[in-house]
Amino acid sequence: MSTTETAPPGARTETSKGVRIADWADGRLGIYSFHSLIRKVFPDHWSFMVGEIALYSFIVLLLTGVWLTLFFDPSMAETVYEGSYAPLHGVTMSQAYASTLDISFDVRGGLLVRQLHHWAALTMIAALCVHTMRHFFTGSFRKPREMNWLIGFVLLVLVILEGFLGYSLPDDLLSGTGLRIAEGVTLAIPVVGTYLTMFLFGGEFPGHDVIQRFYGFHILLLPGIITALVTVHLILVFYHKHTQFRGPGRTERNVVGQPLMPNYAAKAGGFFFLVTGFLALVAGIAQINPVWAYGPYRADQISQGSQPDWYMGFLEGALRAMPPWEFVLWGYTVNLGVLIPAVVVPTLMAAVLALWPFLEAWVTKDKEEHHLLDRPRDHPTRTAFGCAFIALYLVLFFGGANDILAERFHLSLNSVTWVVRIGFFVVPVLTYVVTRRICLGLQRRDRDKLLHGRETGRIRRLPHGEFIEVHEPLDRGTQYALLSRQDYQPLPAPAPEHNGIPNPHHRKEVLRHRLSRWLYGGQIAKPTREELAHAEHTEHDEHAVEQREQGQDVH
């Protein structure tokens, strides 16, 4: 609050207008108590910008989505098109498709906003995927951020679902093909599949209500849930304080960086306009989803080479790679050719990703808080598992384009499909093995740097004729960062009994021990103090010899 002390003679006693406004707002909102909030420190690292890209893309989506709702008609009632696009004159289509054409050709700036909306959606999903990978590979999901990890995972799933719903709204031939696949996947779910299909489509496919229902989900329900989860996610980021990479002055109890106001806010504001400008540039020069080229959806038509948006490519690939297996059980057909690739595999992938923080905490018995991040090489098994997960996704993603690959590279479609089937099992395993070996190799290199310094590229010949490379000691900051990494050790093997009393949790502890060996076994230990002291003494002696050879005095 402003001061009430007596002013000295001749001094100005009238408070400024800005102070009066601030006092008025503080009396009603308590804005003076926000001082600690606006001085909150955020670390300055490029990888943290990925989450900001997702957030700013979401803001662009909200703004462009509101504009598009003013012109889009979510009706499946049939009409005859008489708009500006001459090739479709006289064609019967739904009101939804006709209004999409009107936005593209008759509303000023409509095509730009449509494409900006679509590119922002693709960018947001891509940024969320990279953001999730950053958190996974650096271990930022550990206590106390497990719930925020789950919120972020649910956000990723909801945004993908939101993208699919928006992709389906124009009711063109390409999106209608995607809806037909969604109907088949829903029907393949045992027991409840038929009821879910009737709920979504309002009758036999394609029905007359699916666009209206998807429209309500797309513009109201899912955006509201996503906005609420984003808000909670950001609140928890503020509450838990930001994670940071290891380095000088950085501990589990502090954050080294720049304050929210004015430094971080200015950077974030500028970055928002950069992201928005880049999306607008791409929307203006790169065509996407030209619905007029596909035509309106008809259940008896499909185009060769139809592809979904990239984030649904893995599901398409799984469906194409799976053999058409099915059997009849108690009079009901169980379609494994759809159930396994489109329901079981995605559910297992999602469950592993969502529950990994809890699995790792259970295996390691780790109950401490973690605010310092791991480098991916410092946790080889986790990094290898994450890369194998990505490799599995990419195999299925390229499998979704097996017809395009076969056509462009003049290959057999069956051969491409079999490569995807074999790659589904082989590629993730090879990726896991190679990635883990690379991480262990990088750990050995870090250990060698700590003991002998970094390579300089200078070659020196010793008196007896041997050629060696000259090494330089690491700077203190790099040395501290390498030495501060946590040495993870597997849990000790449990005893089957203690003082003749059987261990009732022996099986569970054995499982935990084996998993901890898988997670932490075989890592390269950091140099001990004795090894570092010996290496430093040896390097000093070699440096002294070198100086003597050059005719310099050593004191």
Side-chain angles (χ1 to χ4, degrees):
M1 298 293 290
S2 59
T3 181
T4 57
E5 296 180 358
T6 303
R12 182 178 178 182
T13 58
E14 188 176 335
T15 58
S16 65
K17 185 177 180 180
V19 172
R20 293 199 303 271
I21 294 175
D23 285 346
W24 182 90
D26 180 63
R28 292 153 181 81
L29 302 175
I31 61 172
Y32 289 165
S33 62
F34 293 163
H35 179 268
S36 60
L37 179 63
I38 64 177
R39 299 302 297 174
K40 189 174 182 64
V41 174
F42 285 81
D44 192 8
H45 193 272
W46 66 267
S47 63
F48 300 144
M49 300 169 66
V50 180
E52 295 180 33
I53 294 175
L55 177 62
Y56 302 152
S57 300
F58 180 58
I59 295 174
V60 173
L61 281 170
L62 292 178
L63 296 176
T64 54
V66 170
W67 189 91
L68 290 173
T69 58
L70 303 176
F71 303 97
F72 181 72
D73 183 6
S75 172
M76 297 186 71
E78 292 187 346
T79 184
V80 178
Y81 181 69
E82 299 295 341
S84 300
Y85 188 65
L88 290 178
H89 277 183
V91 176
T92 301
M93 60 185 64
S94 66
Q95 292 281 8
Y97 185 67
S99 64
T100 304
L101 294 178
D102 290 339
I103 292 174
S104 303
F105 295 107
D106 297 316
V107 177
R108 180 169 297 181
L111 182 59
L112 175 64
V113 177
R114 263 197 66 231
Q115 298 200 151
L116 178 58
H117 190 74
H118 203 132
W119 277 115
L122 298 184
T123 303
M124 181 182 180
I125 298 175
L128 281 177
C129 290
V130 178
H131 187 61
T132 302
M133 287 189 289
R134 183 192 76 81
H135 283 288
F136 181 86
F137 288 125
T138 59
S140 66
F141 51 77
R142 294 172 294 179
K143 182 182 178 180
R145 296 177 178 83
E146 301 96 333
M147 293 305 300
N148 222 10
W149 168 268
L150 287 179
I151 292 174
F153 172 77
V154 173
L155 274 173
L156 178 60
V157 174
L158 290 179
V159 169
I160 290 176
L161 179 59
E162 173 78 341
F164 175 75
L165 295 181
Y167 166 84
S168 305
L169 290 181
D171 199 29
D172 58 284
L173 184 58
L174 184 61
S175 65
T177 303
L179 277 179
R180 167 64 86 178
I181 296 174
E183 185 239 4
V185 171
T186 309
L187 282 175
I189 301 175
V191 182
V192 299
T194 304
Y195 300 98
L196 288 176
T197 304
M198 297 295 290
F199 169 74
L200 288 176
F201 296 95
E204 294 293 332
F205 181 85
H208 299 284
D209 302 322
V210 62
I211 298 298
Q212 293 96 321
R213 294 179 180 183
F214 279 15
Y215 185 70
F217 293 151
H218 182 72
I219 71 166
L220 184 61
L221 180 62
L222 288 183
I225 297 175
I226 292 172
T227 303
L229 290 178
V230 167
T231 303
V232 176
H233 187 74
L234 294 177
I235 290 174
L236 289 178
V237 169
F238 269 77
Y239 176 73
H240 292 144
K241 74 183 180 182
H242 217 297
T243 55
Q244 58 187 343
F245 287 95
R246 300 176 186 273
R250 301 174 184 178
T251 67
E252 297 283 3
R253 299 180 178 229
N254 71 344
V255 178
V256 178
Q258 297 180 342
L260 175 63
M261 294 292 292
N263 305 63
Y264 187 80
K267 287 185 176 181
F271 191 50
F272 166 75
F273 290 110
L274 283 175
V275 172
T276 305
F278 177 78
L279 291 175
L281 177 65
V282 173
I285 64 176
Q287 179 176 275
I288 190 171
N289 198 24
V291 294
W292 55 89
Y294 309 139
Y297 177 69
R298 288 183 51 181
D300 60 339
Q301 293 183 358
I302 187 172
S303 59
Q304 186 272 340
S306 58
Q307 302 290 316
D309 278 340
W310 73 266
Y311 50 86
M312 299 299 295
F314 82 101
L315 185 63
E316 179 85 6
L319 286 167
R320 295 187 183 193
M322 183 68 189
W325 295 343
E326 64 179 33
F327 61 90
V328 178
L329 183 65
W330 297 314
Y332 295 93
T333 300
V334 180
N335 191 343
L336 296 180
V338 177
L339 179 64
I340 291 178
V343 179
V344 176
V345 171
T347 302
L348 288 177
M349 293 173 66
V352 170
L353 192 62
L355 300 178
W356 181 271
F358 305 96
L359 172 64
E360 186 170 313
W362 180 79
V363 169
T364 60
K365 294 185 177 181
D366 186 5
K367 298 182 180 180
E368 297 181 359
E369 290 193 1
H370 295 274
H371 302 288
L372 291 177
L373 299 174
D374 293 327
R375 292 188 306 169
R377 71 183 64 176
D378 296 337
H379 211 301
T381 302
R382 182 205 294 155
T383 302
F385 184 86
C387 289
F389 189 93
I390 296 172
L392 174 63
Y393 178 91
L394 291 178
V395 168
L396 296 179
F397 173 81
F398 286 109
N402 59 351
D403 53 344
I404 302 296
L405 294 174
E407 178 187 6
R408 295 298 173 89
F409 294 98
H410 306 288
L411 301 171
S412 167
L413 179 62
N414 289 333
S415 298
V416 175
T417 303
W418 271 104
V419 168
V420 174
R421 290 172 178 173
I422 297 172
F424 178 85
F425 299 99
V426 175
V427 173
V429 175
L430 291 178
T431 303
Y432 175 87
V433 173
V434 172
T435 304
R436 195 170 189 277
R437 296 307 305 171
I438 291 175
C439 290
L440 292 175
L442 291 174
Q443 284 188 357
R444 289 189 180 93
R445 191 183 72 171
D446 289 343
R447 177 185 171 85
D448 185 69
K449 283 183 178 181
L450 288 170
L451 292 175
H452 307 294
R454 68 175 186 86
E455 300 173 354
T456 61
R458 301 197 306 270
I459 304 299
R460 183 166 62 90
R461 183 179 182 181
L462 299 179
H464 59 277
E466 179 185 359
F467 289 91
I468 64 170
E469 184 176 11
V470 179
H471 288 66
E472 288 183 353
L474 298 178
D475 60 88
R476 290 300 181 183
T478 304
Q479 191 178 45
Y480 176 85
L482 294 180
L483 287 173
S484 63
R485 76 173 175 92
Q486 186 173 353
D487 259 338
Y488 297 101
Q489 299 294 332
L491 298 175
E497 60 180 32
H498 179 68
N499 294 332
I501 301 176
N503 184 358
H505 306 293
H506 180 66
R507 292 185 178 180
K508 182 175 70 173
E509 292 180 359
V510 167
L511 175 62
R512 179 180 287 172
H513 166 66
R514 291 176 178 175
L515 289 176
S516 69
R517 287 181 58 190
W518 167 71
L519 196 61
Y520 291 148
Q523 297 205 51
I524 308 302
K526 294 185 299 183
T528 62
R529 291 178 178 270
E530 292 76 15
E531 290 174 331
L532 288 172
H534 177 71
E536 185 177 359
H537 180 70
T538 304
E539 292 293 331
H540 176 74
D541 291 343
E542 291 180 356
H543 183 62
V545 172
E546 181 181 7
Q547 286 182 322
R548 290 193 185 97
E549 291 176 352
Q550 295 174 356
Q552 299 177 5
D553 293 333
V554 179
H555 300 284

